[in-house]
mmCIF file of all heavy atoms in Angstrom:
data_model
loop_
_atom_site.group_PDB
_atom_site.id
_atom_site.type_symbol
_atom_site.label_atom_id
_atom_site.label_comp_id
_atom_site.label_asym_id
_atom_site.label_seq_id
_atom_site.Cartn_x
_atom_site.Cartn_y
_atom_site.Cartn_z
ATOM 1 N N ASP A 66 103.637 88.217 85.728
ATOM 2 C CA ASP A 66 102.706 89.112 85.040
ATOM 3 C C ASP A 66 101.278 88.714 85.415
ATOM 4 O O ASP A 66 100.987 87.519 85.529
ATOM 5 C CB ASP A 66 102.873 88.984 83.510
ATOM 6 C CG ASP A 66 104.180 89.616 83.032
ATOM 7 O OD1 ASP A 66 104.610 90.611 83.632
ATOM 8 O OD2 ASP A 66 104.758 89.093 82.057
ATOM 9 N N ARG A 122 107.453 96.228 91.475
ATOM 10 C CA ARG A 122 108.723 95.688 90.974
ATOM 11 C C ARG A 122 109.840 96.417 91.709
ATOM 12 O O ARG A 122 109.606 97.424 92.371
ATOM 13 C CB ARG A 122 108.888 95.784 89.462
ATOM 14 C CG ARG A 122 107.783 95.088 88.668
ATOM 15 C CD ARG A 122 108.107 95.118 87.177
ATOM 16 N NE ARG A 122 106.981 94.697 86.370
ATOM 17 C CZ ARG A 122 106.780 93.444 85.962
ATOM 18 N NH1 ARG A 122 107.616 92.492 86.292
ATOM 19 N NH2 ARG A 122 105.739 93.152 85.214
ATOM 20 N N ARG A 182 92.154 90.354 80.065
ATOM 21 C CA ARG A 182 92.744 91.589 79.515
ATOM 22 C C ARG A 182 92.437 91.718 78.023
ATOM 23 O O ARG A 182 92.156 92.803 77.529
ATOM 24 C CB ARG A 182 94.259 91.599 79.715
ATOM 25 C CG ARG A 182 94.652 91.868 81.151
ATOM 26 C CD ARG A 182 96.150 92.003 81.309
ATOM 27 N NE ARG A 182 96.465 92.233 82.715
ATOM 28 C CZ ARG A 182 97.681 92.386 83.204
ATOM 29 N NH1 ARG A 182 98.722 92.348 82.379
ATOM 30 N NH2 ARG A 182 97.873 92.599 84.493
ATOM 31 N N LYS A 191 96.692 96.815 79.022
ATOM 32 C CA LYS A 191 97.709 96.145 79.835
ATOM 33 C C LYS A 191 98.310 94.939 79.123
ATOM 34 O O LYS A 191 99.276 94.345 79.598
ATOM 35 C CB LYS A 191 97.075 95.649 81.138
ATOM 36 C CG LYS A 191 96.903 96.700 82.199
ATOM 37 C CD LYS A 191 96.617 96.037 83.523
ATOM 38 C CE LYS A 191 96.797 96.983 84.674
ATOM 39 N NZ LYS A 191 96.889 96.288 85.959
ATOM 40 N N SER A 193 100.320 92.836 76.434
ATOM 41 C CA SER A 193 101.338 92.975 75.385
ATOM 42 C C SER A 193 101.721 91.572 74.924
ATOM 43 O O SER A 193 101.653 90.612 75.707
ATOM 44 C CB SER A 193 102.551 93.749 75.890
ATOM 45 O OG SER A 193 103.423 92.896 76.582
ATOM 46 N N ASP A 196 103.943 89.452 76.948
ATOM 47 C CA ASP A 196 103.454 88.681 78.099
ATOM 48 C C ASP A 196 103.333 87.198 77.737
ATOM 49 O O ASP A 196 103.534 86.325 78.584
ATOM 50 C CB ASP A 196 102.080 89.198 78.563
ATOM 51 C CG ASP A 196 102.150 90.627 79.112
ATOM 52 O OD1 ASP A 196 103.266 91.095 79.418
ATOM 53 O OD2 ASP A 196 101.086 91.266 79.230
HETATM 54 MG MG1 LIG B 2 102.903 94.082 82.296
#
Side-chain angles (χ1 to χ4, degrees):
D66 288 327
R122 303 186 191 267
R182 286 185 181 180
K191 280 195 165 196
S193 83
D196 295 344

